[in-house]
Amino acid sequence: MEEEILKIKKEAVQQITAATAAELESLHIKFLGRKSLLAQLTARLRELPPAQKPLIGRLINETKRTIEQMLEEKSGALAKAEGEEFDLTLPALPQACGSLHPLTLVAEEIEEVFKNLGFVVAEGDEIEDEDHNFSALNIPLEHPSRDMFDTFYLEEGLHKKETQGRLLLRSHTSPAQIRVMRNLRPPLAVLVPGRVYRPDAVDATHSFMFHQIEGFAVDRDLRFSDLKGVLINFARKLFTAETQLRFRPSFFPFTEPSAEVDISCIICKGKGCTVCKGNGWLEVLGCGMIHPRVLQACGIDSKKWQGYAFGMGVERIAMLKFGIDDIRLFYNNHKKFLEQFNAF
Ligand code: DAH
């Protein structure tokens, strides 16, 4: 009998160890139930000589207790393992979360200011032809910006049938004015953000690729004062409500009259500091009334319609806004730099 009991115990140990939660109940019945081998052995106790009864009886009881304990422990262990996998009350694992690039943040903020005035956002083409990038914008053949050293021209042979002149990487977003005005009729108010390319040597303030935002509107009776109004609104929304603007007469072939716009230095409030190089003003954009020749190049009657336009560098605005002193920081993907914009 002793041997039989030990065999049962051994079997129970093996089966309980390997059991799944669903099998525990039937193992309980198998080893401890009324028809179990141990129950049968208990019934046979009376057949034993009186001297053996207490010993075997105790062995049976001990074995029962051991099996019972093992079943309980196993059931506890299985419940715990399951709980670890499915405990919905535990806090979620932290996710490594990216954030918007500072240039995206600034571009979106600028877009928002103009969208609120009714501007729509459009995209131009990064590969342009000489007509859109220069000629239609009233930039003459002899203009220095058309020089090989100031524009990336694409290889000969890449000309498509519909292109006029050589293909190039656009050197400003202004060609988008031509694309939009040749396709849509005024009144128009459009904003065009995007990449532009110039063969400049890379340093703290120059890059061969950077971002611009072009804005323009065409309507009846548009005046320079309308342009001033939207730009003052823009600067005060993007920087501070106290920001002052200065319009300096300037020249661009595609606008007449033209101006360059400075804002009062956001660091020293116009007193003079290292950022504004002591003069209290920071140059932020170029603008003007769209030249009648540009309207005409797009089939718009310049007697009936007037337009204004402006163009700004996104990197320049972002550097001023965030106090960044090296343009290269925008492009080298250093996590330490980018992480600082998580909160914006
Ligand atoms: N396209 C000019 C540049 O890249 C910027 C500019 C100046 C855009 C005046 C305009 C404008 O629309 O009116 O330097």
Side-chain angles (χ1 to χ4, degrees):
M1 245 194 202
E2 218 180 311
E3 250 172 58
E4 275 178 79
I5 297 168
L6 290 175
K7 208 178 129 205
I8 293 168
K9 191 173 165 186
K10 201 172 153 199
E11 205 183 320
V13 170
Q14 277 171 358
Q15 295 189 11
I16 293 170
T17 308
T20 64
E23 290 162 354
L24 283 183
E25 182 63 27
S26 55
L27 288 178
H28 194 277
I29 293 167
K30 178 174 176 182
F31 289 107
L32 302 171
R34 271 190 296 127
K35 291 176 188 165
S36 65
L37 289 173
L38 283 177
Q40 286 169 32
L41 289 176
T42 312
R44 277 171 52 201
L45 269 178
R46 5 186 185 98
E47 299 164 16
L48 292 174
Q52 282 188 24
K53 272 186 202 168
L55 207 86
I56 300 295
R58 209 183 306 136
L59 192 59
I60 291 176
N61 282 338
E62 271 173 21
T63 306
K64 274 188 190 166
R65 237 178 286 131
T66 309
I67 294 175
E68 217 155 350
Q69 218 171 0
M70 280 180 54
L71 282 167
E72 239 166 71
E73 273 167 20
K74 183 69 183 180
S75 147
L78 285 172
K80 195 169 167 231
E82 202 172 304
E84 271 165 14
E85 263 176 68
F86 296 109
D87 188 348
L88 297 175
T89 66
L90 288 173
L93 292 174
Q95 292 276 337
C97 208
S99 55
L100 292 178
H101 192 278
L103 292 175
T104 307
L105 287 169
V106 169
E108 286 187 353
E109 198 179 335
I110 296 170
E111 284 171 28
E112 208 48 44
V113 171
F114 286 100
K115 276 191 204 162
N116 284 333
L117 296 179
F119 281 71
V120 294
V121 176
E123 262 179 60
D125 294 16
E126 286 181 38
I127 294 178
E128 270 297 3
D129 57 34
E130 287 185 280
D131 176 53
H132 289 86
N133 201 77
F134 299 121
S135 311
L137 285 164
N138 195 36
I139 302 175
L141 271 176
E142 65 278 6
H143 195 277
S145 68
R146 297 182 76 140
D147 198 280
M148 282 291 294
F149 300 104
D150 289 296
T151 297
F152 285 114
Y153 286 93
L154 302 186
E155 271 177 44
E156 298 284 334
L158 279 173
H159 292 204
K160 285 188 248 140
K161 251 199 240 114
E162 65 272 22
T163 61
Q164 290 150 289
R166 288 173 292 173
L167 283 180
L168 47 83
L169 294 179
R170 67 174 174 196
S171 57
H172 53 171
T173 43
S174 302
Q177 288 187 32
I178 307 302
R179 295 215 166 255
V180 171
M181 288 194 286
R182 281 182 180 166
N183 283 302
L184 301 174
R185 295 295 93 192
L188 297 166
V190 183
L191 208 66
V192 187
R195 290 194 180 96
V196 301
Y197 303 84
R198 292 180 194 176
D200 283 334
V202 176
D203 63 24
T205 53
H206 294 86
S207 165
F208 55 85
M209 182 282 299
F210 59 101
H211 298 75
Q212 284 188 336
I213 293 185
E214 189 83 12
F216 61 99
V218 183
D219 207 335
R220 294 182 207 275
D221 303 323
L222 269 192
R223 307 170 197 197
F224 200 91
S225 53
D226 296 309
L227 171 63
K228 276 184 93 169
V230 296
L231 292 179
I232 291 169
N233 171 70
F234 151 74
R236 297 196 172 154
K237 288 261 159 61
L238 214 78
F239 298 104
T240 66
E242 291 76 45
T243 304
Q244 297 296 308
L245 272 75
R246 180 169 80 169
F247 288 74
R248 274 182 294 112
S250 184
F251 173 79
F252 299 103
F254 34 90
T255 45
E256 182 60 36
S258 305
E260 275 173 276
V261 176
D262 302 333
I263 58 166
S264 51
C265 180
I266 50 173
I267 310 293
C268 63
K269 312 249 181 305
K271 288 190 206 76
C273 67
T274 51
V275 175
C276 60
K277 301 200 177 76
N279 68 31
W281 295 97
L282 300 163
E283 187 184 323
V284 288
L285 56 85
C287 66
M289 299 305 288
I290 299 178
H291 198 292
R293 277 194 218 144
V294 174
L295 295 173
Q296 282 154 21
C298 299
I300 294 173
D301 185 346
S302 60
K303 295 250 164 24
K304 283 193 192 145
W305 303 95
Q306 293 82 50
Y308 61 69
F310 53 87
M312 63 185 99
V314 182
E315 278 80 350
R316 166 107 180 122
I317 307 262
M319 286 168 85
L320 291 175
K321 206 173 151 63
F322 295 124
I324 295 164
D325 61 3
D326 195 322
I327 199 171
R328 290 166 290 200
L329 288 165
F330 290 123
Y331 317 120
N332 58 19
N333 276 336
H334 286 167
K335 256 178 100 186
K336 277 263 176 296
F337 171 73
L338 295 172
E339 273 168 359
Q340 299 175 85
F341 300 93
N342 261 333
F344 289 94

Coordinates of all heavy atoms in Angstrom, one line a residue, residues 33-98:
G33 N -11.2 13.3 -5.0 CA -12.6 13.0 -5.0 C -13.0 11.7 -4.3 O -12.2 10.9 -3.9
R34 N -14.3 11.5 -4.3 CA -14.8 10.4 -3.5 C -14.4 9.1 -4.2 O -14.3 8.0 -3.5 CB -16.4 10.5 -3.5 CG -16.8 11.2 -2.2 CD -18.3 11.1 -2.0 NE -19.0 11.7 -3.1 CZ -20.0 11.1 -3.8 NH1 -20.3 9.8 -3.6 NH2 -20.6 11.7 -4.8
K35 N -14.2 9.1 -5.5 CA -13.8 7.9 -6.2 C -12.3 7.8 -6.5 O -11.8 6.9 -7.2 CB -14.6 7.8 -7.5 CG -16.1 7.5 -7.3 CD -16.8 7.5 -8.6 CE -18.3 7.5 -8.4 NZ -19.0 7.8 -9.6
S36 N -11.6 8.7 -5.9 CA -10.1 8.7 -6.1 C -9.4 7.5 -5.6 O -10.0 6.8 -4.7 CB -9.5 10.0 -5.5 OG -9.6 9.9 -4.1
L37 N -8.2 7.2 -6.1 CA -7.4 6.1 -5.6 C -7.2 6.2 -4.1 O -7.2 5.2 -3.4 CB -6.1 6.0 -6.4 CG -6.2 5.6 -7.8 CD1 -4.9 5.7 -8.5 CD2 -6.8 4.1 -7.9
L38 N -6.9 7.4 -3.6 CA -6.7 7.6 -2.2 C -7.9 7.3 -1.4 O -7.8 6.6 -0.3 CB -6.2 9.0 -1.9 CG -4.8 9.4 -2.3 CD1 -4.5 10.9 -2.0 CD2 -3.8 8.5 -1.5
A39 N -9.1 7.6 -1.9 CA -10.4 7.3 -1.2 C -10.5 5.8 -1.1 O -11.0 5.2 -0.1 CB -11.5 7.9 -1.9
Q40 N -10.2 5.2 -2.3 CA -10.3 3.7 -2.3 C -9.3 3.0 -1.3 O -9.7 2.1 -0.6 CB -10.0 3.2 -3.7 CG -11.1 3.4 -4.7 CD -10.7 3.1 -6.1 OE1 -9.9 2.2 -6.4 NE2 -11.2 3.9 -7.1
L41 N -8.1 3.6 -1.2 CA -7.2 3.1 -0.3 C -7.6 3.2 1.2 O -7.5 2.4 2.0 CB -5.8 3.7 -0.5 CG -5.0 3.3 -1.7 CD1 -3.7 4.1 -1.9 CD2 -4.7 1.8 -1.8
T42 N -8.3 4.4 1.4 CA -8.8 4.7 2.8 C -9.8 3.6 3.1 O -9.8 3.1 4.3 CB -9.4 6.1 2.8 OG1 -8.5 7.0 2.2 CG2 -9.7 6.5 4.3
A43 N -10.7 3.3 2.1 CA -11.7 2.3 2.4 C -11.1 0.9 2.7 O -11.6 0.1 3.5 CB -12.6 2.2 1.2
R44 N -9.9 0.7 2.1 CA -9.2 -0.6 2.3 C -8.4 -0.7 3.6 O -7.8 -1.7 3.9 CB -8.3 -0.9 1.1 CG -9.1 -1.6 -0.1 CD -8.3 -1.6 -1.3 NE -7.0 -2.3 -1.1 CZ -5.9 -2.1 -1.9 NH1 -6.0 -1.3 -2.9 NH2 -4.8 -2.8 -1.6
L45 N -8.4 0.4 4.4 CA -7.6 0.4 5.6 C -7.9 -0.7 6.6 O -7.1 -1.3 7.2 CB -7.7 1.8 6.3 CG -6.7 2.9 5.9 CD1 -7.1 4.2 6.7 CD2 -5.3 2.5 6.2
R46 N -9.3 -0.9 6.6 CA -9.8 -1.9 7.6 C -9.2 -3.3 7.3 O -9.1 -4.2 8.1 CB -11.3 -2.1 7.7 CG -12.1 -1.3 6.8 CD -13.6 -1.5 7.2 NE -14.2 -0.8 6.1 CZ -14.7 -1.4 5.0 NH1 -14.8 -2.7 5.0 NH2 -15.2 -0.6 4.1
E47 N -8.8 -3.6 6.0 CA -8.3 -4.9 5.7 C -6.9 -5.1 6.3 O -6.4 -6.2 6.4 CB -8.2 -5.1 4.2 CG -9.5 -5.0 3.5 CD -9.4 -4.8 2.0 OE1 -8.2 -5.0 1.5 OE2 -10.4 -4.4 1.4
L48 N -6.2 -4.0 6.7 CA -4.8 -4.1 7.1 C -4.7 -4.7 8.5 O -5.6 -4.5 9.3 CB -4.2 -2.7 7.1 CG -4.0 -2.1 5.7 CD1 -3.5 -0.7 5.9 CD2 -3.0 -2.9 4.9
P49 N -3.6 -5.3 8.8 CA -3.4 -5.7 10.2 C -3.3 -4.4 11.1 O -2.8 -3.4 10.6 CB -2.0 -6.3 10.2 CG -1.5 -6.4 8.7 CD -2.5 -5.6 7.9
P50 N -3.9 -4.6 12.3 CA -4.0 -3.4 13.2 C -2.7 -2.6 13.4 O -2.7 -1.4 13.5 CB -4.5 -4.0 14.5 CG -5.0 -5.3 14.2 CD -4.4 -5.8 13.0
A51 N -1.6 -3.3 13.4 CA -0.3 -2.6 13.6 C 0.0 -1.6 12.5 O 0.7 -0.6 12.7 CB 0.8 -3.6 13.8
Q52 N -0.4 -1.9 11.3 CA -0.1 -1.1 10.1 C -1.1 0.1 9.9 O -0.7 1.1 9.3 CB -0.1 -1.9 8.8 CG 1.2 -2.7 8.7 CD 1.3 -3.4 7.3 OE1 0.7 -2.9 6.4 NE2 2.0 -4.5 7.3
K53 N -2.3 -0.1 10.4 CA -3.4 0.9 10.2 C -3.0 2.3 10.4 O -3.1 3.2 9.5 CB -4.6 0.6 11.0 CG -5.6 -0.4 10.3 CD -6.8 -0.5 11.1 CE -7.5 -1.8 10.7 NZ -8.6 -2.1 11.7
P54 N -2.5 2.7 11.6 CA -2.2 4.1 11.9 C -1.1 4.6 10.9 O -1.2 5.8 10.4 CB -1.6 4.1 13.3 CG -1.8 2.7 13.9 CD -2.1 1.8 12.8
L55 N -0.1 3.8 10.7 CA 1.0 4.3 9.8 C 0.5 4.6 8.4 O 0.7 5.7 7.9 CB 2.0 3.2 9.7 CG 3.4 3.6 9.5 CD1 4.1 4.0 10.8 CD2 4.2 2.5 8.7
I56 N -0.2 3.7 7.8 CA -0.7 3.9 6.4 C -1.8 5.0 6.4 O -1.8 5.9 5.5 CB -1.3 2.6 5.9 CG1 -0.3 1.5 5.8 CG2 -1.9 2.8 4.5 CD1 0.9 1.7 4.8
G57 N -2.6 5.0 7.5 CA -3.6 6.0 7.6 C -3.0 7.4 7.6 O -3.5 8.3 6.9
R58 N -1.9 7.5 8.4 CA -1.3 8.8 8.4 C -0.7 9.2 7.1 O -0.8 10.3 6.6 CB -0.2 8.8 9.5 CG 0.0 10.2 10.1 CD 1.2 10.2 11.1 NE 1.0 9.2 12.1 CZ 2.0 8.4 12.6 NH1 3.2 8.4 12.1 NH2 1.7 7.4 13.5
L59 N -0.1 8.2 6.4 CA 0.5 8.4 5.1 C -0.5 8.9 4.1 O -0.3 9.9 3.3 CB 1.2 7.2 4.6 CG 2.1 7.3 3.4 CD1 3.3 8.3 3.7 CD2 2.7 6.0 3.0
I60 N -1.7 8.3 4.1 CA -2.7 8.7 3.2 C -3.2 10.1 3.5 O -3.3 11.0 2.6 CB -4.0 7.8 3.3 CG1 -3.6 6.4 2.7 CG2 -5.2 8.3 2.5 CD1 -4.7 5.3 2.9
N61 N -3.4 10.4 4.7 CA -3.8 11.8 5.1 C -2.7 12.9 4.7 O -3.1 13.9 4.2 CB -4.1 11.9 6.6 CG -5.4 11.3 6.9 OD1 -6.3 11.2 6.1 ND2 -5.6 10.8 8.2
E62 N -1.5 12.5 5.0 CA -0.4 13.5 4.6 C -0.4 13.7 3.1 O -0.3 14.8 2.6 CB 0.9 12.9 5.0 CG 1.3 13.3 6.4 CD 2.6 12.6 6.9 OE1 3.4 12.1 6.0 OE2 2.8 12.5 8.1
T63 N -0.5 12.6 2.3 CA -0.5 12.7 0.9 C -1.7 13.6 0.4 O -1.5 14.4 -0.5 CB -0.6 11.3 0.2 OG1 0.5 10.5 0.8 CG2 -0.4 11.4 -1.3
K64 N -2.9 13.4 1.0 CA -4.0 14.2 0.6 C -3.7 15.7 0.9 O -4.0 16.5 0.0 CB -5.3 13.8 1.5 CG -6.1 12.6 0.9 CD -7.3 12.5 1.8 CE -8.1 11.2 1.5 NZ -9.1 11.0 2.5
R65 N -3.2 15.9 2.1 CA -2.9 17.3 2.4 C -1.9 17.9 1.4 O -2.0 19.1 0.9 CB -2.4 17.4 3.8 CG -3.2 18.4 4.7 CD -2.8 18.5 6.1 NE -3.1 17.3 6.8 CZ -2.2 16.6 7.6 NH1 -1.0 17.0 7.7 NH2 -2.6 15.5 8.2
T66 N -0.8 17.2 1.1 CA 0.2 17.6 0.2 C -0.4 18.0 -1.2 O -0.2 19.0 -1.8 CB 1.3 16.6 -0.1 OG1 1.7 16.1 1.2 CG2 2.4 17.1 -0.9
I67 N -1.3 17.0 -1.7 CA -1.9 17.3 -3.0 C -2.8 18.5 -3.0 O -2.8 19.4 -3.9 CB -2.7 16.0 -3.4 CG1 -1.7 14.8 -3.7 CG2 -3.5 16.3 -4.7 CD1 -2.4 13.5 -4.0
E68 N -3.6 18.6 -1.9 CA -4.5 19.8 -1.7 C -3.7 21.1 -1.8 O -4.0 22.0 -2.5 CB -5.2 19.7 -0.3 CG -6.6 20.1 -0.4 CD -7.4 19.5 0.7 OE1 -6.9 18.5 1.4 OE2 -8.5 19.9 0.9
Q69 N -2.6 21.1 -1.0 CA -1.7 22.3 -1.0 C -1.2 22.6 -2.4 O -1.2 23.7 -2.8 CB -0.6 22.0 0.0 CG -0.2 23.1 0.8 CD 0.8 22.7 1.9 OE1 1.2 21.6 2.0 NE2 1.3 23.7 2.7
M70 N -0.7 21.5 -3.0 CA -0.1 21.7 -4.4 C -1.2 22.3 -5.3 O -0.9 23.2 -6.1 CB 0.4 20.4 -4.9 CG 1.8 20.1 -4.4 SD 2.3 18.5 -5.1 CE 2.2 18.8 -6.8
L71 N -2.4 21.8 -5.2 CA -3.5 22.3 -6.1 C -3.7 23.8 -5.8 O -3.9 24.6 -6.7 CB -4.8 21.5 -5.9 CG -4.8 20.1 -6.6 CD1 -6.0 19.3 -6.1 CD2 -4.9 20.3 -8.1
E72 N -3.7 24.1 -4.6 CA -4.0 25.5 -4.2 C -2.9 26.4 -4.7 O -3.2 27.5 -5.2 CB -4.1 25.6 -2.7 CG -5.4 26.1 -2.1 CD -5.5 25.9 -0.7 OE1 -4.8 26.6 0.1 OE2 -6.3 25.0 -0.2
E73 N -1.7 26.0 -4.4 CA -0.5 26.8 -4.9 C -0.5 27.0 -6.4 O -0.3 28.1 -6.9 CB 0.8 26.2 -4.4 CG 1.2 26.6 -3.0 CD 2.3 25.7 -2.5 OE1 3.1 25.1 -3.3 OE2 2.5 25.7 -1.2
K74 N -0.8 25.9 -7.1 CA -0.8 26.0 -8.5 C -1.9 27.0 -9.0 O -1.7 27.8 -9.9 CB -1.1 24.6 -9.1 CG -1.0 24.6 -10.6 CD 0.4 24.8 -11.2 CE 0.4 24.8 -12.7 NZ 1.8 25.0 -13.2
S75 N -3.1 26.8 -8.4 CA -4.2 27.7 -8.8 C -3.8 29.2 -8.5 O -4.1 30.1 -9.4 CB -5.4 27.3 -8.0 OG -6.2 28.3 -7.7
G76 N -3.2 29.4 -7.4 CA -2.7 30.8 -7.1 C -1.7 31.3 -8.1 O -1.8 32.4 -8.6
A77 N -0.7 30.4 -8.4 CA 0.3 30.8 -9.4 C -0.2 31.2 -10.7 O 0.1 32.1 -11.4 CB 1.4 29.7 -9.5
L78 N -1.2 30.3 -11.2 CA -1.8 30.5 -12.5 C -2.6 31.8 -12.5 O -2.5 32.6 -13.5 CB -2.7 29.4 -12.9 CG -2.0 28.1 -13.3 CD1 -3.0 27.0 -13.5 CD2 -1.2 28.3 -14.6
A79 N -3.3 32.1 -11.5 CA -4.1 33.3 -11.4 C -3.2 34.6 -11.4 O -3.5 35.6 -12.1 CB -5.0 33.3 -10.1
K80 N -2.1 34.4 -10.7 CA -1.2 35.5 -10.7 C -0.5 35.8 -12.1 O -0.5 37.0 -12.5 CB 0.0 35.2 -9.7 CG 0.8 36.5 -9.3 CD 1.7 36.2 -8.1 CE 2.7 37.3 -8.0 NZ 4.0 36.8 -7.9
A81 N -0.1 34.7 -12.7 CA 0.5 34.9 -14.1 C -0.5 35.5 -15.0 O -0.2 36.4 -15.8 CB 0.9 33.5 -14.6
E82 N -1.8 35.1 -14.9 CA -2.8 35.7 -15.8 C -3.0 37.1 -15.5 O -3.1 38.0 -16.3 CB -4.1 34.9 -15.6 CG -5.0 35.0 -16.7 CD -6.2 34.0 -16.5 OE1 -5.9 32.8 -16.3 OE2 -7.3 34.5 -16.5
G83 N -3.0 37.4 -14.2 CA -3.2 38.8 -13.7 C -2.1 39.7 -14.2 O -2.4 40.8 -14.6
E84 N -0.9 39.2 -14.2 CA 0.2 40.0 -14.7 C 0.0 40.4 -16.2 O 0.3 41.5 -16.6 CB 1.5 39.3 -14.5 CG 2.1 39.6 -13.1 CD 3.2 38.6 -12.8 OE1 3.7 37.9 -13.6 OE2 3.5 38.6 -11.6
E85 N -0.5 39.5 -17.0 CA -0.7 39.8 -18.4 C -1.9 40.7 -18.6 O -1.8 41.6 -19.5 CB -1.0 38.5 -19.1 CG 0.3 37.9 -19.8 CD -0.1 36.6 -20.4 OE1 -0.8 36.6 -21.4 OE2 0.4 35.6 -19.9
F86 N -2.9 40.6 -17.8 CA -4.1 41.3 -18.2 C -4.6 42.4 -17.1 O -5.7 42.8 -17.1 CB -5.3 40.3 -18.4 CG -5.0 39.5 -19.6 CD1 -4.7 38.1 -19.4 CD2 -5.0 40.0 -20.9 CE1 -4.4 37.3 -20.5 CE2 -4.7 39.2 -22.0 CZ -4.4 37.8 -21.8
D87 N -3.7 42.8 -16.2 CA -4.1 43.7 -15.2 C -4.4 45.1 -15.8 O -3.5 45.9 -16.1 CB -3.1 43.8 -14.1 CG -3.6 44.6 -12.9 OD1 -4.7 45.3 -13.1 OD2 -3.0 44.6 -11.9
L88 N -5.7 45.4 -16.1 CA -6.0 46.6 -16.8 C -5.9 47.8 -15.8 O -6.0 49.0 -16.3 CB -7.5 46.5 -17.3 CG -7.7 45.4 -18.3 CD1 -9.1 45.3 -18.7 CD2 -6.8 45.7 -19.6
T89 N -5.7 47.5 -14.5 CA -5.6 48.7 -13.6 C -4.2 49.3 -13.6 O -4.0 50.3 -13.0 CB -6.0 48.3 -12.2 OG1 -5.1 47.3 -11.7 CG2 -7.4 47.6 -12.2
L90 N -3.2 48.5 -14.2 CA -1.9 49.1 -14.1 C -1.8 50.3 -15.1 O -2.4 50.3 -16.1 CB -0.9 48.0 -14.6 CG -0.6 46.8 -13.7 CD1 0.2 45.8 -14.3 CD2 0.0 47.3 -12.4
P91 N -0.9 51.3 -14.7 CA -0.7 52.4 -15.6 C -0.1 52.0 -16.9 O 0.7 51.0 -16.9 CB 0.2 53.3 -14.8 CG 0.8 52.5 -13.8 CD -0.1 51.4 -13.5
A92 N -0.4 52.6 -18.0 CA 0.1 52.3 -19.3 C 1.6 52.5 -19.4 O 2.2 53.3 -18.6 CB -0.5 53.1 -20.4
L93 N 2.3 51.7 -20.2 CA 3.8 51.9 -20.3 C 4.0 53.2 -21.0 O 3.3 53.6 -21.9 CB 4.3 50.7 -21.2 CG 4.3 49.3 -20.5 CD1 4.8 48.3 -21.5 CD2 5.2 49.3 -19.3
P94 N 5.1 53.9 -20.6 CA 5.3 55.2 -21.2 C 5.7 55.0 -22.7 O 6.5 54.1 -23.0 CB 6.5 55.8 -20.4 CG 7.1 54.7 -19.7 CD 6.0 53.6 -19.5
Q95 N 5.2 55.8 -23.6 CA 5.6 55.7 -25.0 C 6.6 56.8 -25.3 O 6.5 57.9 -24.9 CB 4.3 56.1 -25.8 CG 3.2 55.0 -25.8 CD 3.5 53.9 -26.7 OE1 4.2 54.0 -27.7 NE2 2.9 52.7 -26.4
A96 N 7.6 56.4 -26.1 CA 8.5 57.4 -26.5 C 7.8 58.2 -27.6 O 7.5 57.7 -28.7 CB 9.8 56.8 -27.1
C97 N 7.5 59.5 -27.3 CA 6.7 60.3 -28.2 C 7.5 61.4 -28.9 O 8.2 62.1 -28.3 CB 5.6 60.9 -27.3 SG 4.1 61.2 -28.2
G98 N 7.3 61.5 -30.2 CA 8.0 62.5 -31.0 C 7.2 63.8 -30.8 O 6.2 63.9 -30.2

